């Protein structure tokens, strides 16, 4: 067992998807195949939007979409801390464990004296929906900040850009797709449940016994079929 183990936000999300896949991946290094679609889109535009936010921060301005969402919101004013939390991660070592949870945040807002986690999303859909995984992502970042002594508001913000596409996705691959729409969404968050969630996650990670798979996990169902064939 590792003396010190870092678990990322993406690995925490894997725990929610399937505890068996999480255990195989994080404890034993057995990765599942992953599609590379939405993540690719986001990676092309995150840096562009972060740069836009940094320029607004320097000028003491707030992006119009966020101002329309809540006129009391403003950008977090400390660029050094933002760059640290973007690049060097926010970390929290869970008590009486060898586990450090960590994540890299896109940006932060302020409402009064409280921090508001913000995440940037890129989509090609005209109908954007706030998934539970997006909510958990904001909660996880806020939880880490809270455990580092920061005061958090009870909501986060998703800053969503919609980009145009062509049939072979070449514009997106080259980062040349036009941003057709920008919109901000307020997402209610609950940090109180996360101690219990992460305690169970640690128990799953430390378990010598293989956890049960999620009922609809296609990767675990595939493994089951492979094992069945091996017995015939």
């Amino acid at each position: 067992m590792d003396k010190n183990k870092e678990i990322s936000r993406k690995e925490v999300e894997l725990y929610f998807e399937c505890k068996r896949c999480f255990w195989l991946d994080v404890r034993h290094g057995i990765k599942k195949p992953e599609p590379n679609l939405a993540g690719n889109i986001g990676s092309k535009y995150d840096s562009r939007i972060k740069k836009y936010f940094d320029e607004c921060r320097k000028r003491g301005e707030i992006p119009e979409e966020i101002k329309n969402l809540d006129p009391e919101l403003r950008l977090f004013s400390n660029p050094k801390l933002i760059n640290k939390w973007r690049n060097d991660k926010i970390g929290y070592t869970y008590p009486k464990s060898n586990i450090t949870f960590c994540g890299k945040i896109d940006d932060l807002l302020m409402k009064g004296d409280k921090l508001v986690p913000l995440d940037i999303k890129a989509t090609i859909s005209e109908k954007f929906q706030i998934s539970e995984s997006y909510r958990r992502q904001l909660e996880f970042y806020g939880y880490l900040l809270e455990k580092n002594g920061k005061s958090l508001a009870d909501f986060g913000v998703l800053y969503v850009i919609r980009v145009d596409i062509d049939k072979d996705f070449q514009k997106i691959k080259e980062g040349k797709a036009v941003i057709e729409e920008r919109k901000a969404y307020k997402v209610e968050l609950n940090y109180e449940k996360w101690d219990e969630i992460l305690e169970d996650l640690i128990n799953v990670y430390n378990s010598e016994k293989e956890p049960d798979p999620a009922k609809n996990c296609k990767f675990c169902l595939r493994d089951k079929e492979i094992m069945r064939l091996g017995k015939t």
Side-chain angles (χ1 to χ4, degrees), residues 40-57 59 63 65 75 86 106-107 118 120-122 159 161-164 170-182:
N40 244 353
I41 297 172
S43 66
K44 300 294 183 183
Y45 293 91
D46 271 15
S47 60
R48 186 186 301 184
I49 301 302
K50 287 173 184 175
K51 183 178 179 181
Y52 165 60
F53 276 34
D54 290 342
E55 290 170 353
C56 288
R57 200 181 335 267
R59 297 193 298 265
E65 300 79 17
L75 284 167
R86 281 175 179 169
D106 285 342
D107 217 306
L118 179 144
I120 299 163
K121 298 295 179 190
Y159 188 85
I161 61 169
R162 182 170 63 85
V163 298
D164 71 346
Q170 191 61 35
K171 289 181 182 178
I172 286 176
K173 291 174 186 176
E174 297 174 358
K176 295 179 180 178
V178 174
I179 297 175
E180 294 189 328
E181 185 180 21
R182 302 172 186 237

